[in-house]
Amino acid sequence: MTWEAVKWLNHFGILGMNGRNADYIMAMNDRSAFPLVDDKIITKRLAEEFLIPTPRLYHVIEHHGDIRNVEQALGDRREFALKPARGSGGSGIVLITDRSDRGFVKQSGAVISREDFIYHIFDILAGIYSLEGLEDKAIVEALVHPDPLFAAVTYQGVPDIRIIAYRGVPAMAMVRLPTRASDGKANIHRGALGAGIDMAKGETLTAVHGSEIVHVHPDTGNPIAGITIPSWKDMLLTAARGSEMTGLGYLGVDLVIDVAEGPLMLEMNARPGLQIQVANQAGLKGRLMRIDEAPPEIFATPETRVTWAMAAFGTDQRR
Amino acid sequence: MKRRAAVLVAVLLVVLAAVLIAYRVVRLGYPLVPTASIKVWQLSIETILGKNEKNLSLRMGLPVSRGPITVAEERIASGSLTFNLLREGVDHIGIWAGNTPSTGTLVNYRASILVKPVRTFGIRRMDPGAYPVSFQEADQALVSRLAARWQRLPADERIKAAGDALSGAWGQFPLSEQDRISWEELVPRVGRTNALMGLLNAAGVAARVQNGLILMEGVTRTPIRWLLAWDGTRWLHMQPDSGAIYDRSLVFLPLTNDDIPPLAATGAIAPEVRYNLSPQVVSQWIAYFDRLRTPDRILNRWSLFSLPPEFQATFRILLLVPIGALMVCILRNIIGFPTFGIFMPVLMALAFRSTGLGYGLVIFGGVILVGYIMRLLLDKLHLLLVPRLSVVLTLVIGMFAFLAVVGYKLDIRELMSVGLLPFVILTMMIERFFVIVEESGVREGIRNAVGSAAVAAITHLILHIETLQLTFFVYPELLLVLAALQILIGRYTGYRLSEVLRFRALHRNQ
């Protein structure tokens, strides 16, 4: 039975953890390029050079001594996002939507006291949320106001779109939709939904909750499939440019759609997860191998790569 | 390309290891299966002689390599006395003589006793010796008459019948009144041992008396005396007073034969001697290689056995670590267990060696749980990372101390050895557990904790195989094989078993 399942996984081109680490991350991602995506401050700076829009950076807290000046630096901003610069998987992020006498109002409506807020910054600097437990920096950036596009299938929080690009060619994409179970976080491990995206049309497919296929959002009851993402091609272009920007051959690009500013790149990831395959009900390895077999001329510019990917990986040409 | 290089390196490592092992086996005569049923006992005979004794002489029977017994690594401490070794027949008698100083003196004999099963080659005849000297002619006639009735029985049954007869049970061969009276008169006159010897002699069974110890863990003050009776293929050991036959699984260590006392002292009050026997595993190899040692061979000179014993123990443990690491490679990269940290399960598995698996797992779970609760409370205090970890570490040590005391009160050794658990790793694990629970939920936290415990437990069970430990100690070049396997797993890019489950939603919907 197990052997059958393994044969099946292989047949459908499912990429496993070992295969991803050895054949793609280690083979395609130069160690020296990792800091470019592991530190959000560096990523932001690079993105600016490549004309990739990101949420505006308000403030960086580098040293314990700076923490006292945070409130001063915040000025009269009432809403912002506090993040660890080297965090992964959305850990340590606090979204503030307002301020009150008692402190800061979180997106969920809960109030976090000024003291707790400062403590959280201390934790970030100490490296609790950082990738290797190294000392970290905290960043304060503009709060994203999600486009109402996904409002019907989102419980609080900000849905984000993950695109995996291989050798600069977008290979697979999904949108992560927060649920009550995920506490408004777009984290699949915590219970957020992952919905596959048709690469050609930018249209959502069915979603996966845990390991179950679902057709409607568990909290709102609205159907997930059939939502068309505007400016989809732009987002694919952002992912495609990400490879030039970072030099990473195997890259995950996370985007959000801001109601005012349009698509913004949140972060990039040199070790993107494999759950995207479940969301799309398709194997990544098969697509990566097709990219390897593609004619060399398609790799010329981000535009040619995106055009090829949209033609190759639409639902009509599944797998 | 990379894969082929990895396979090539792995093959080279295995070949190199095979060559080294082959050299040891073929040229140096190492055993291929290093644990071929040899047991080693540490024998220590010790006595403290009183102060200011003059012209004292202490004679002790010492073990000799013979039959299944091999004596190695003999060490003698004679204090202020002189020591001489006297060979009487096959026996070795150690004689300590001289005057003791005002502080008294310690006399000590130590040796490693190896027991190897002796192969028996069919039936061998062994003729009975002479009758005990205290036997008169009439006595010889009596025992001959008594034994004649067993003539047609096989040797082992004749031995059993003679033993029974000593305690007055004549079974299916009842005794005439006259003979019974004569026998009951003879036994107290010549002594039970001699009576039994005579009876066995008359029954055509070779028999002799030995003094020595039964190899069992413990301390005794006096050697025992037993009777050997040849049943045609092997010696049976009999209790000389009751005539009962000892269990065949017991191993006897003779110190002296016949009437030579195993312990005698002149010129002093009978000293208190302690015969201490303890089974040992490490020195099994020291002892074994005492005989094999050919120090001109470089691999022998560079063997781990050349280290002093206290360092050997360290290396026995250290050599297990790479095996544990290999287990972690297999369980994480091929099976797909989630664990906190990478090598934490190896350290846990090593610690389980002293706490035992059951207690180890319970302590592990308990410490994580209590640590987590404390960490929850600490969170309210808003401590910075390093001091906060220090508090948790302090707490973990406190829990260890508490468990150790509880273990002492309840007389549970396993709890007392709690201190060997890797406390720093446990502290970091509490923090990791807390962060995972905060960020990815309780389920994810418990999944990781259970995964870690499972990997530690499985690794422990593998490390527990004694054959494996000894094999690695004897052939440290097996480390090359481990490295080869680790390299191969490093290039295993297939699916993990857990991924078959993880992607089952896909499978179901196709």
Side-chain angles (χ1 to χ4, degrees):
Chain A
M1 187 244 135
T2 308
W3 183 239
E4 283 299 303
V6 168
K7 263 167 67 183
W8 185 90
L9 289 178
N10 232 332
H11 178 70
F12 280 87
I14 301 290
L15 183 62
M17 192 83 83
N18 293 333
R20 180 200 71 173
N21 291 348
D23 294 338
Y24 295 101
I25 295 183
M26 267 193 267
M28 304 299 295
N29 290 357
D30 197 358
R31 219 37 274 168
S32 62
F34 279 34
L36 303 183
V37 293
D38 284 349
D39 188 328
K40 288 195 183 70
I41 300 169
I42 301 176
T43 314
K44 256 184 199 304
R45 204 174 300 143
L46 259 180
E48 217 168 291
E49 283 173 35
F50 281 77
L51 303 176
I52 296 173
T54 63
R56 243 182 84 202
L57 182 65
Y58 291 157
H59 186 56
V60 176
I61 306 153
E62 280 190 62
H63 308 288
H64 282 213
D66 303 340
I67 297 180
R68 259 174 293 158
N69 309 326
V70 166
E71 290 205 62
Q72 201 186 327
L74 286 172
D76 54 359
R77 291 186 211 283
R78 304 193 74 80
E79 48 168 53
F80 54 88
L82 172 68
K83 298 179 174 181
R86 303 173 55 83
S88 67
S91 65
I93 296 177
V94 180
L95 304 179
I96 300 298
T97 55
D98 203 356
R99 290 162 79 168
S100 76
D101 299 341
R102 289 185 296 137
F104 301 88
V105 182
K106 288 207 282 188
Q107 194 166 42
S108 59
V111 176
I112 166 172
S113 72
R114 204 164 273 111
E115 202 194 10
D116 280 356
F117 182 77
I118 300 291
Y119 176 54
H120 188 75
I121 300 176
F122 270 117
D123 266 356
I124 291 176
L125 294 194
I128 287 197
Y129 307 104
S130 90
L131 286 164
E132 289 101 14
L134 302 169
E135 298 233 324
D136 201 0
K137 291 170 233 168
I139 59 177
V140 179
E141 63 177 23
L143 184 71
V144 172
H145 295 273
D147 190 281
L149 179 67
F150 293 113
V153 288
T154 301
Y155 178 85
Q156 296 180 343
V158 182
D160 74 353
I161 292 160
R162 150 73 55 92
I163 302 173
I164 288 184
Y166 175 58
R167 297 173 62 190
V169 181
M172 200 175 268
M174 70 169 163
V175 54
R176 290 177 289 203
L177 305 166
T179 62
R180 188 197 297 271
S182 78
D183 196 21
K185 291 197 169 125
N187 180 340
I188 288 188
H189 289 291
R190 291 211 67 168
L193 297 182
I197 299 175
D198 180 323
M199 292 294 280
K201 300 183 221 150
E203 192 182 290
T204 51
L205 309 167
T206 52
V208 173
H209 195 205
S211 58
E212 300 296 316
I213 306 281
V214 291
H215 297 279
V216 295
H217 192 279
D219 303 316
T220 67
N222 293 315
I224 292 155
I227 300 170
T228 305
I229 300 167
S231 56
W232 174 240
K233 196 168 179 182
D234 289 344
M235 295 178 103
L236 292 181
L237 278 170
T238 301
R241 287 199 194 100
S243 297
E244 266 128 19
M245 174 182 139
T246 58
L248 293 169
Y250 182 75
L251 176 72
V253 180
D254 293 349
L255 301 134
V256 286
I257 310 175
D258 187 86
V259 68
E261 305 197 32
L264 297 176
M265 191 270 288
L266 276 188
E267 61 175 79
M268 294 191 180
N269 199 320
R271 320 161 186 81
L274 299 168
Q275 204 64 20
I276 197 168
Q277 303 178 99
V278 186
N280 278 278
Q281 297 186 57
L284 196 49
K285 196 163 151 191
R287 293 194 182 182
L288 301 184
M289 280 161 70
R290 281 183 62 191
I291 293 171
D292 278 330
E293 289 157 8
E297 58 271 18
I298 70 119
F299 293 97
T301 64
E303 285 77 13
T304 57
R305 296 197 295 261
V306 168
T307 308
W308 184 85
M310 288 174 80
F313 301 135
T315 27
D316 306 332
Q317 302 89 357
R318 276 284 283 283
R319 284 181 219 118
Chain B
M1 192 55 225
K2 288 250 170 58
R3 180 161 312 171
R4 194 176 300 168
V7 171
L8 192 70
V9 171
V11 168
L12 281 178
L13 288 175
V14 171
V15 168
L16 182 58
V19 167
L20 288 172
I21 290 173
Y23 178 75
R24 282 196 204 264
V25 172
V26 175
R27 298 300 303 273
L28 305 183
Y30 277 43
L32 194 54
V33 185
T35 46
S37 64
I38 309 161
K39 265 201 189 132
V40 167
W41 295 80
Q42 284 298 328
L43 169 67
S44 152
I45 310 175
E46 195 176 80
T47 182
I48 296 172
L49 296 169
K51 46 191 164 187
N52 298 324
E53 302 269 9
K54 299 279 175 242
N55 296 325
L56 169 143
S57 155
L58 176 71
R59 298 166 60 98
M60 278 200 285
L62 302 178
V64 181
S65 297
R66 192 189 326 158
I69 304 284
T70 303
V71 181
E73 290 195 293
E74 292 183 277
R75 276 153 297 164
I76 290 149
S78 48
S80 61
L81 306 176
T82 58
F83 173 79
N84 276 299
L85 190 69
L86 179 71
R87 289 168 210 270
E88 278 198 37
V90 288
D91 295 333
H92 288 183
I93 310 290
I95 302 174
W96 285 264
N99 307 327
T100 61
S102 57
T103 49
T105 193
L106 177 82
V107 166
N108 180 278
Y109 169 89
R110 283 168 192 278
S112 301
I113 310 291
L114 276 84
V115 182
K116 253 173 69 172
V118 207
R119 261 175 252 151
T120 47
F121 301 97
I123 294 177
R124 196 149 53 93
R125 251 189 82 81
M126 202 170 279
D127 289 324
Y131 283 102
V133 281
S134 49
F135 265 51
Q136 293 157 9
E137 233 163 88
D139 301 333
Q140 295 182 19
L142 171 67
V143 289
S144 298
R145 201 159 59 243
L146 293 175
R149 58 189 69 205
W150 302 323
Q151 233 166 15
R152 312 195 26 209
L153 295 178
D156 54 338
E157 282 183 43
R158 269 179 279 158
I159 294 168
K160 190 175 177 318
D164 290 344
L166 188 65
S167 47
W170 292 89
Q172 50 180 334
F173 306 100
L175 210 55
S176 72
E177 190 58 22
Q178 182 58 45
D179 283 351
R180 196 180 57 77
I181 292 167
S182 310
W183 173 249
E184 279 172 4
E185 181 272 327
L186 172 117
V187 172
R189 176 160 48 82
V190 301
R192 295 177 72 85
T193 310
N194 280 340
L196 182 57
M197 282 265 284
L199 204 51
L200 285 167
N201 263 359
V205 174
R208 22 191 260 260
V209 172
Q210 277 185 339
N211 306 290
L213 304 166
I214 299 179
L215 289 181
M216 273 191 286
E217 186 164 14
V219 179
T220 170
R221 298 206 177 280
T222 41
I224 58 163
R225 169 169 255 246
W226 62 80
L227 215 141
L228 286 175
W230 184 254
D231 78 348
T233 54
R234 49 172 284 170
W235 290 104
L236 295 183
H237 295 78
M238 302 178 79
Q239 246 152 1
D241 287 333
S242 67
I245 296 170
Y246 280 109
D247 192 281
R248 280 168 183 245
S249 62
L250 292 175
V251 182
F252 290 76
L253 176 68
L255 296 174
T256 57
N257 279 283
D258 305 322
D259 287 328
I260 300 170
L263 178 66
T266 56
I269 330 151
E272 286 222 327
V273 179
R274 289 162 54 89
Y275 292 83
N276 192 341
L277 275 168
S278 58
Q280 277 226 328
V281 195
V282 182
S283 52
Q284 155 171 346
W285 286 99
I286 311 167
Y288 197 85
F289 283 88
D290 246 17
R291 300 186 302 168
L292 285 179
R293 196 164 285 163
T294 42
D296 52 320
R297 306 281 187 195
I298 188 145
L299 270 186
N300 259 354
R301 261 184 286 148
W302 285 89
S303 152
L304 286 168
F305 290 108
S306 56
L307 293 175
E310 62 268 34
F311 297 105
Q312 290 191 11
T314 312
F315 273 92
R316 256 170 62 92
I317 306 287
L318 278 187
L319 288 180
L320 297 181
V321 175
I323 309 177
L326 177 68
M327 287 308 299
V328 171
C329 289
I330 293 171
L331 294 171
R332 275 175 66 111
N333 277 32
I334 295 181
I335 314 285
F337 277 90
T339 61
F340 298 118
I342 298 175
F343 292 120
M344 159 273 175
V346 182
L347 294 176
M348 292 297 294
L350 287 176
F352 287 171
R353 284 165 54 85
S354 30
T355 60
L357 189 56
Y359 281 106
L361 286 175
V362 170
I363 295 170
F364 169 77
V367 168
I368 294 288
L369 187 71
V370 176
Y372 175 69
I373 293 168
M374 288 308 292
R375 176 66 182 80
L376 267 180
L377 299 175
L378 275 182
D379 206 48
K380 303 213 186 308
L381 296 182
H382 290 186
L383 304 181
L384 295 180
L385 178 71
V386 178
R388 187 173 65 218
L389 283 176
S390 309
V391 175
V392 177
L393 177 66
T394 308
L395 188 90
V396 168
I397 299 292
M399 275 193 275
F400 280 12
F402 176 72
L403 282 174
V405 175
V406 168
Y408 177 71
K409 293 282 178 213
L410 301 179
D411 201 24
I412 304 173
R413 272 202 75 77
E414 288 85 351
L415 281 185
M416 286 188 261
S417 47
V418 64
L420 291 164
L421 261 80
F423 47 86
V424 171
I425 301 250
L426 276 173
T427 306
M428 300 307 278
M429 237 155 60
I430 292 170
E431 184 68 24
R432 282 293 303 151
F433 183 72
F434 182 81
V435 172
I436 290 180
V437 168
E438 285 288 286
E439 287 180 356
S440 311
V442 180
R443 252 188 68 169
E444 192 63 22
I446 290 178
R447 215 171 72 89
N448 273 274
V450 170
S452 305
V455 172
I458 295 171
T459 307
H460 168 76
L461 292 178
I462 299 288
L463 296 188
H464 209 65
I465 304 172
E466 203 164 304
T467 316
L468 200 67
Q469 298 175 13
L470 285 173
T471 310
F472 271 82
F473 196 75
V474 178
Y475 301 114
E477 45 273 34
L478 284 173
L479 289 180
L480 298 175
V481 177
L482 282 186
L485 290 174
Q486 286 156 352
I487 287 172
L488 288 181
I489 294 175
R491 285 306 312 179
Y492 169 74
T493 57
Y495 299 109
R496 299 178 182 176
L497 209 56
S498 60
E499 284 169 344
V500 174
L501 292 175
R502 182 177 168 190
F503 295 118
R504 67 182 181 270
L506 275 175
H507 195 172
R508 226 182 291 133
N509 286 280
Q510 286 294 328

